[in-house]
Amino acid sequence: ADHLRSAIEAQEALGAPDDLTLIDLHNNLGAVLSDLLEFDEAEQHLLAAERLATERLSPDDELMITVTHNRGYLLHYQGRMEEAAAKYQAALEAERRVFGERHEFTLGTMNCYAPLLCDMGRLEEAQALFEATVAGRTELLGPEHPSTLLARQNLAQSNYRLGRVREAAAIQTECAPLFERVLGPTHPWTVSNATNLATSLATLGRAEEAQDICRGLLGQLASIPDNDLSLLIARLALGRSLIAGGAYAQAAPLLRETYADSIEAFGPDGRRSPAIRATLARALAGAGEVEEAERHLRAVIASHESEGGSGSADLVTVRLDLADLLLDRGQPDAAREQDELARSAAGSIPEGHWLRSRVDLEEGRALLALGCPAAARPLLAAAAEGLAERLGPSHPLADQARVLELECE
């Protein structure tokens, strides 16, 4: 970064600087600063590159395409999803025109654009891009090339978002030793795959396996800064794993610290902060700190809605967590209201997603608490069947649904 800053200063000191060189330098410095999480300065340089490129270059020029891609990358990290999508779409259309579908530039933008689509709730579009990226990179680079492994990791995460948790865990498990061998145990892509695997296992109720992965990973990452992205996502995954195992009192302080570090790195509405805050709320609710938990959950809901994510799986999950909390606080009417909002939002989630069954479970719980066992029973029966099918027959949520169904009798 310092070398690029000096090069920019030297160019600008010239009476007639070379605009193409300046575009390239601003673009490269912006990309480096994005990876260093120095977002404000990164945006200044990428905007400077974009302004000069728009004046000097055609939309199909390779440098113009790269600048547009890098702007999308930064905007995604800043949580500005609609703006990021517009940049990625423009870059992808130009790459398809100039390079074709199976060029590494095109595949690279697909691999960045698809996770953004996931974050926006456009899951089927994302899945198609992920599958195309895996196929293209396997053909061009081979099955164990780092870029191919990254594409496979992203495909696994897309499966997770679609509710195909066991399929996601299978890909992540297969890729884990390949990432370690090819890139090393502390490379960000290795860490990301490992934390995603831990989250998948925690979702499947395999909490101890997930905790072991996270603790091993955190031991390897002990020397890096507290606000490093790899460390943040590893701590988030451990928090989720502890919650899955019922260790709320251990999870709460860990997640409180992680959330503070995330705000410092990304801001309160940045790419990771809402997810960490929602997970903190679950830990606090389980630890009995219900008022603070409710405050966090309502703030996360407001953040999702302000970003246009009214139909995302993340929002459905947070509404169900709030319904669960309200029901435990003896407010079944308020819980039922959240259940209905969650059901409405779940309409955009793919058929067969396990969250649809959790909506049935939470609404059945609320109806049972309101003294309506006849209305609750079919919902709880459907929840028990769906959760057993998608997460496993011995999953705690499936067991809970079966127990509550018996109570209806």
Side-chain angles (χ1 to χ4, degrees):
D2 288 341
H3 173 75
L4 289 166
R5 289 188 187 100
S6 297
I8 289 171
E9 290 175 3
Q11 273 293 318
E12 290 177 340
L14 298 174
D18 184 331
D19 284 349
L20 293 181
T21 301
L22 270 178
I23 294 168
D24 193 43
L25 289 170
H26 279 299
N27 179 55
N28 287 331
L29 180 54
V32 168
L33 292 168
S34 295
D35 287 335
L36 292 172
L37 310 184
E38 297 179 20
F39 297 139
D40 290 343
E41 188 181 355
E43 185 165 34
Q44 293 174 15
H45 289 286
L46 288 173
L47 285 172
E50 187 175 51
R51 184 183 67 255
L52 289 168
T54 301
E55 294 172 357
R56 291 290 309 273
L57 305 174
S58 75
D60 288 348
D61 185 275
E62 182 178 325
L63 183 54
M64 181 76 239
I65 294 170
T66 305
V67 170
T68 304
H69 172 102
N70 287 341
R71 282 277 288 134
Y73 182 82
L74 174 62
L75 289 164
H76 188 189
Y77 262 111
Q78 291 174 311
R80 295 157 63 181
M81 296 185 189
E82 293 292 343
E83 295 173 78
K87 296 298 181 185
Y88 276 143
Q89 185 64 38
L92 183 57
E93 289 173 359
E95 285 161 344
R96 283 172 166 159
R97 287 192 303 269
V98 176
F99 306 116
E101 193 77 15
R102 288 297 175 94
H103 190 280
E104 180 53 27
F105 284 4
T106 311
L107 295 169
T109 296
M110 286 183 184
N111 201 54
C112 292
Y113 190 13
L116 171 65
L117 293 173
C118 277
D119 290 344
M120 297 174 74
R122 295 161 60 181
L123 302 180
E124 298 291 352
E125 294 175 71
Q127 182 78 355
L129 286 181
F130 282 131
E131 290 173 350
T133 305
V134 170
R137 284 185 167 171
T138 301
E139 177 184 321
L140 287 175
L141 306 172
E144 295 188 11
H145 189 280
S147 295
T148 307
L149 293 176
L150 177 62
R152 292 178 67 193
Q153 177 196 151
N154 286 338
L155 176 60
Q157 196 62 5
S158 177
N159 276 312
Y160 182 90
R161 291 292 190 99
L162 287 164
R164 304 168 188 168
V165 185
R166 283 181 283 195
E167 292 90 335
I171 297 171
Q172 291 154 352
T173 300
E174 184 178 339
C175 287
L178 300 176
F179 271 114
E180 288 204 23
R181 188 177 76 242
V182 174
L183 297 174
T186 59
H187 189 281
W189 294 356
T190 307
V191 173
S192 181
N193 184 74
T195 55
N196 288 339
L197 172 57
T199 298
S200 295
L201 294 174
T203 302
L204 291 168
R206 295 160 61 181
E208 290 186 6
E209 294 174 69
Q211 290 169 26
D212 287 345
I213 290 171
C214 294
R215 290 195 172 101
L217 193 57
L218 286 167
Q220 294 171 325
L221 298 174
S223 63
I224 66 177
D226 287 344
N227 64 351
D228 183 275
L229 178 59
S230 293
L231 185 59
L232 289 174
I233 64 173
R235 286 158 58 191
L236 171 60
L238 177 58
R240 287 171 169 162
S241 303
L242 290 167
I243 290 169
Y248 302 107
Q250 293 180 53
L254 169 70
L255 290 164
R256 200 189 300 277
E257 181 182 356
T258 304
Y259 178 54
D261 290 336
S262 179
I263 290 176
E264 179 183 342
F266 300 106
D269 296 318
R271 184 176 177 184
R272 299 287 177 177
S273 300
I276 296 172
R277 190 175 193 181
T279 310
L280 169 61
R282 291 176 205 125
L284 292 169
E289 299 180 51
V290 291
E291 291 185 3
E292 185 181 355
E294 182 174 349
R295 176 171 60 81
H296 285 303
L297 289 171
R298 292 191 183 279
V300 174
I301 288 171
S303 176
H304 278 298
E305 291 181 332
S306 69
E307 288 291 332
S310 59
S312 71
D314 291 339
L315 178 57
V316 173
T317 301
V318 177
R319 285 204 180 279
L320 292 174
D321 289 341
L322 179 57
D324 193 31
L325 182 150
L326 292 169
L327 193 58
D328 289 343
R329 297 186 74 182
Q331 302 176 40
D333 288 313
R336 181 79 195 285
E337 179 183 352
Q338 290 299 322
D339 291 331
E340 290 173 349
L341 290 168
R343 186 174 294 281
S344 175
S348 64
I349 293 175
E351 291 291 339
H353 197 296
W354 66 272
L355 271 177
R356 287 178 174 264
S357 297
R358 191 184 164 202
V359 172
D360 289 337
L361 170 60
E362 295 298 339
E363 189 170 356
R365 285 188 66 213
L367 287 168
L368 192 58
L370 288 165
C372 306
R377 186 175 181 183
L379 289 171
L380 293 167
E385 181 179 357
L387 290 165
E389 178 184 347
R390 289 149 196 157
L391 299 180
S394 61
H395 193 278
L397 290 176
D399 289 341
Q400 182 185 24
R402 283 190 288 266
V403 169
L404 291 172
E405 183 187 0
L406 291 173
E407 288 184 19
C408 294
E409 299 177 1

